Amino acid sequence: MSSIDHTHDAAATSWVEGADTHADFPVQNLPLGIFSTANRERRVGTAVGDSVLDLSGMAEDRLLPGNLRAALGAGTLNALFALSASDRISLRHAVFAHLTELSSRMEVLPHLYPAQACTMHLPFAIGDYTDFYVGIHHATNIGKQFRPDNPLLPNYKYVPIGYHGRASSVRLSGTPVVRPKGQQKPSYSEGPGYGPTYRLDYELELGVWIAGENALGEPVPIGKAASRIGGLCLLNDWSARDLQAWEYQPLGPFLAKNFLTSVSPWVITAEALAPFRVAQPPRPAGDPAPLPYLLDAADQAEGAFALTLETWIATQKMREAGIPPHRLGTGPATSMYWTVAQLVAHHTANGCNLMPGDLLGTGTISTPDTSGLGSLMELSQGGNSPVTLPDGEERSFLEDGDELILSARAARDGFRTIGFGLCSGVVEAAKV
Ligand code: CA
């Protein structure tokens, strides 16, 4: 597991203007992403304050470790995350030194761009995307709507439930959500119809970017699974609840989910998150212990993350009236029944190979009470109890023009708070 070092020192400061006061990207964060500018093709960058540092250009100018030059010139992060964690730590140390030491300023400045002048791109060429279901309060809330007396199915506390999603429709934050069409069968209707979803929803999730590779047939033991966590992002698993209700049995989600999955542009690295590892909350009395292949003392001691997740909505009317986004919920990321390392160990337990740049979604993360519910399906209790917004509008599900925004911050006493940036999307009308 990544360890805490001088790059996490809360007293460290950067010569980059605005970095020390930036809510998300002080020099202790150093997230990785892919950006382009008007004159430059896709490059590897890091966010520092309101600037983006061109790491590909830094490598070309021999300002970064030479063994990283090829990976930093690749136009995606796949090659960098195929390298060892120690290579990424050496990159972090070099970038941290350049951004904190005033003597580096003159040679680094030509590689610094205003974030506003940069276009962000998907950080990885994503080979595969898997979505899990670890938010136990979400699973309980949704289960109650279908099975009030028995919300969790018998396998839930033994198996990290997941399904294979679709990688081709994973897109960067900011991509519009075109209202999908599909089959729906309302309870009052005898047969299904086809048309635009009338129950469009979001799902607040964390994304896990995979580092390294295990050969086909070789499981990753739970004790080594943390080394496969390259970093985290925000993930919105947009969902069409009416399509989902009609299609999900017996094989699970399909067209209700694969029309779009949004991710935030910056990879918050495992190294940056080292100070924010916390113990996995103990399971309630009476729950089964994880089977041995999912149980590791170090993972239980520090396999969870001290993150606060938030969800915001801004309708078209709100934006036009200058009303700021309304917070729909806030809660901790510790409401996960399984750690991210357990997801990796389980995913590979049968010998399935995970590749650099593969994406795992945790599943919707909700609080046990109503303060931090991760979907409108929960907030509106299946559409029966609409949410009232500051301008008097009501929402049971998302309407055209709505913008949905996810954010996350990692905070812990004694350390500089870091943020994930935003993951957002505006709903557009269905195509005719
Ligand atoms: Ca999901």
Side-chain angles (χ1 to χ4, degrees), residues 129 131-133 138 163 203 205 235 237 239 257 363-364:
Y129 159 51
D131 198 23
F132 284 93
Y133 199 46
H138 170 78
Y163 69 97
E203 290 194 338
E205 303 194 17
L235 185 150
D237 177 23
S239 299
K257 301 279 192 172
T364 310

Side-chain angles (χ1 to χ4, degrees), residues 194-220:
Y194 172 81
T197 175
Y198 52 88
R199 297 191 134 204
L200 182 62
D201 202 354
Y202 61 90
E203 290 194 338
L204 164 65
E205 303 194 17
L206 286 172
V208 180
W209 294 110
I210 295 296
E213 176 179 349
N214 57 300
L216 185 66
E218 289 185 7
V220 178

Side-chain angles (χ1 to χ4, degrees), residues 12 57 64 71 85 121 182 204 212 247 275 326 361 400 404:
L64 294 173
H121 303 275
L204 164 65
E247 75 171 8
H326 170 71
D400 294 350
L404 200 288

